[in-house]
Amino acid sequence: MNEPFRRALGVIRTLKQHGYEAYFVGGSVRDYLLNRPIDDVDIATSALPDEVMAIFPKTIPVGLKHGTVVVLHDGVPYEVTTFRTEGTYENYRRPESVTFVRSLYQDLERRDFTMNAIAMDDMGQFIDPFDGQMAIEKRIIRTVGAAEDRFSEDALRMMRAIRFVSQLGFQLEEETKQAIIEQASLLTHISVERKTVEFEKLMAGPFAASAFSLLVETNVFLYLPGLAEKREWLQQLSTYEWPVLTSAAERWSFLVYVLNIEHVASFLRQWKLSNRLIKDVQAILHALSIVRSFADWTKERLYEVGAAVALSAEAVRSLVNGENGEENGQALRAKLASLPIQTRQDLAVTGKEIIDWYGRKGGPWVEETLQKLEQSVLAGIVENEKERMKAWLKWNQTHEKNC
C-alpha cells in the first residue's frame, strides 16, 4: 500500500473502530493497480453521513443528499461517502434519489465501469465482485452490468469511456462499444460544460489519437459542439502524436487548425470556454498565420507574439508538419534568448523618461518613440542602454531636422 493510502488509513480505521465498514474505492484503487500517480483518495463506508460527522471532529457536509462528507484528517481532506443505491435517473445524467445502504456490494454495483468498481480494505486486500482486476489486466473498459443500462442512466459515461481510452490506452469491450454506437444520441441531454470537461481530458491523454478514432467510429462526435460536419478532419486527428502538446491552449489551437474552423471564437464559445482561453488560442492561431516554416521566426515576429505564444505556436506548427517539435522548440528558445529585449518592459527607458528628455507634454508621440526604440534595439541599431538610447534619439531628432 503506497503513501496516499497510508495517510488515509486513520480515517478507515477510526470508522471500523466505531463498528462500521470502510474501504478505499474508485479511481484511486484503479490507479494503484495500474501503478499510476494517485491524486484523491475516496472512501466508502456503511456509516450514514450523520454518523460520520459524529465520529470525526473536523468535517464539511459537502453533499449530504448524496451521502458525502469531507473528513479533515491530519490536515488532508478526504471524501467519505455512505454506501448507496440510486433511483431512476433524470435527464440521462443524475439519479432522482439515492438510498443509503449497508452493503458494499450494492454500492459497487451502481458504478460505471468494472475497473472503477473495486474496493480495497485497510490491509490492502481487494474486494472485486465484477472482475475489475481482470479488466485492468486485459486492458479493457467494460461496464458494470448491461452497457445499455449504464449509458441510459448517465449518458456522459459514454464520453468517460472514450476519455479513459485516451488516458489509459485501454480498448472498449465490444458490447460496451456497441452500446455507445446505439445510444450516442443520448448525449444531446448532457450539458456542454460536462462534455467539455471530458473532451479536454480526452485531448490531454497520451492515447488521444485512439480516442479520436473512437469518437468517429461510435458517432459520438455528432453530438459535440461544432463537430457534426467534421468527420473526415476528426479522423485525421487520430494520426497525430497529441502528447507533444502541453497546454489546453495548444490542444484547442491544434484542433481548430486541423479542423479548418473558420469562425474560431464562435466555435470555442460553443464549448463554453473561458474568455482567457479563447484569447490564448486566438493569439496562437495569429502566430501560425504569419509563420509557415521555422525560418519565418524572425526577431521581429518573435518579439511581436511573445515567448509563450511563439513556443506554443511552434509546437502546433511542428506537429501539423510532422517535424521534430522538441528540437524546434529548443532552437526557438535559443532564438528567444538571443533577443536583446523580450518585451517593452525590458527597455532601459520608460515613457516618462522620454517626456522628460524632450520637455514636452505626453501624447501619441511617446508611443511612437517607444516603438522606434523597440525596433532599433531589436535590429541592433542601438544598444538597450539608457544613455546610448538618449544620445541616439537626440541624434535622430537633429538628423530629421537637417533633412
Side-chain angles (χ1 to χ4, degrees):
M1 189 178 296
N2 59 15
E3 187 59 27
F5 293 114
R6 283 196 291 269
R7 287 199 302 267
L9 278 176
V11 178
I12 285 188
R13 289 177 176 168
T14 298
L15 286 164
K16 290 182 68 176
Q17 287 166 7
H18 284 79
Y20 302 106
E21 293 181 51
Y23 304 89
F24 298 114
V25 293
S28 60
V29 178
R30 176 200 68 227
D31 289 341
Y32 175 58
L33 288 165
L34 285 166
N35 292 315
R36 283 166 52 88
I38 294 169
D39 295 323
D40 299 324
V41 171
D42 293 330
I43 294 167
T45 180
S46 60
L48 298 174
D50 288 346
E51 294 168 336
V52 173
M53 289 189 290
I55 292 171
F56 295 96
K58 295 181 180 180
T59 61
I60 306 170
V62 295
L64 294 183
K65 179 181 176 182
H66 295 97
T68 301
V69 174
V70 169
V71 171
L72 294 173
H73 175 68
D74 290 339
V76 179
Y78 297 100
E79 285 195 1
V80 178
T81 303
T82 303
F83 299 155
R84 71 190 195 208
T85 60
E86 296 171 340
T88 304
Y89 277 67
E90 294 178 331
N91 300 319
Y92 302 96
R93 178 67 186 108
R94 290 195 176 281
E96 63 178 359
S97 64
V98 300
T99 301
F100 301 138
V101 296
R102 301 289 187 178
S103 164
L104 173 64
Y105 179 90
Q106 286 181 283
D107 185 77
L108 297 177
E109 188 179 30
R110 70 175 174 81
R111 296 175 183 266
D112 52 7
F113 306 111
T114 58
M115 64 181 183
N116 295 333
I118 307 169
M120 183 173 72
D121 66 18
D122 59 323
M123 301 303 292
Q125 300 300 307
F126 298 105
I127 298 88
D128 183 15
F130 304 104
D131 294 327
Q133 292 175 91
M134 183 181 296
I136 289 173
E137 185 178 334
K138 293 183 176 181
R139 304 180 68 80
I140 290 174
I141 297 170
R142 174 187 289 124
T143 58
V144 176
E148 58 269 24
D149 293 340
R150 297 291 81 78
F151 296 144
S152 63
E153 290 169 350
D154 181 355
L156 190 64
R157 286 170 173 165
M158 291 183 279
M159 284 199 70
R160 280 171 55 81
I162 298 175
R163 183 254 290 180
F164 280 128
V165 168
S166 177
Q167 291 181 320
L168 304 177
F170 285 16
Q171 301 291 315
L172 290 182
E173 182 255 349
E174 195 55 41
E175 180 186 335
T176 301
K177 184 198 292 186
Q178 191 58 41
I180 295 176
I181 293 171
E182 293 171 359
Q183 296 179 284
S185 63
L186 294 180
L187 283 165
T188 56
H189 300 281
I190 302 300
S191 72
V192 171
E193 290 86 352
R194 292 190 178 278
K195 292 176 186 178
T196 299
V197 169
E198 294 298 328
F199 192 70
E200 290 197 309
K201 290 179 181 178
L202 182 157
M203 288 195 292
F207 304 96
S210 298
F212 272 99
S213 182
L214 277 172
L215 285 178
V216 176
E217 183 182 352
T218 59
N219 287 328
V220 164
F221 78 98
L222 294 173
Y223 308 98
L224 300 179
L227 299 186
E229 305 298 324
K230 297 292 183 178
R231 179 187 293 270
E232 180 181 340
W233 289 273
L234 285 165
Q235 192 64 61
Q236 185 180 344
L237 288 172
S238 67
T239 65
Y240 290 99
E241 293 294 328
W242 282 79
V244 301
L245 304 175
T246 58
S247 72
E250 288 179 10
R251 289 186 281 270
W252 281 108
S253 298
F254 178 67
L255 179 84
V256 165
Y257 192 90
V258 174
L259 295 184
N260 195 28
I261 300 295
E262 293 184 12
H263 305 291
V264 174
S266 176
F267 172 79
L268 297 177
R269 287 193 197 99
Q270 288 183 66
W271 286 91
K272 308 290 187 182
L273 300 185
S274 70
N275 290 334
R276 177 71 267 170
L277 181 53
I278 291 174
K279 287 180 181 178
D280 289 345
V281 171
Q282 288 175 316
I284 292 171
L285 292 173
H286 168 70
L288 288 171
S289 72
I290 61 176
V291 177
R292 298 298 179 181
S293 72
F294 189 83
D296 292 335
W297 284 116
T298 62
K299 288 182 177 181
E300 292 74 20
R301 284 173 177 159
L302 283 173
Y303 184 79
E304 176 193 343
V305 303
V309 172
L311 290 167
S312 288
E314 181 55 35
V316 173
R317 193 202 64 78
S318 296
L319 180 57
V320 169
N321 292 335
E323 299 174 15
N324 189 316
E326 185 175 352
E327 287 184 3
N328 287 346
Q330 290 175 349
L332 191 62
R333 286 185 180 88
K335 278 191 174 185
L336 285 162
S338 72
L339 294 181
I341 54 172
Q342 300 280 332
T343 69
R344 177 171 291 184
Q345 284 67 40
D346 295 333
L347 276 178
V349 300
T350 65
K352 183 179 183 302
E353 288 172 317
I354 289 173
I355 291 172
D356 292 340
W357 291 348
Y358 281 84
R360 295 170 56 187
K361 290 183 178 180
W365 69 272
V366 179
E367 172 66 21
E368 292 170 5
T369 303
L370 285 169
Q371 287 180 0
K372 186 185 297 184
L373 281 173
E374 286 176 306
Q375 294 164 4
S376 299
V377 169
L378 281 172
I381 296 172
V382 61
E383 290 182 41
N384 186 32
E385 194 274 323
K386 188 177 296 185
E387 292 304 319
R388 289 183 181 274
M389 284 192 279
K390 183 178 181 180
W392 182 80
L393 285 174
K394 185 177 180 180
W395 175 87
N396 229 30
Q397 186 181 32
T398 303
H399 180 72
E400 287 174 359
K401 283 181 180 180
N402 292 335
C403 289

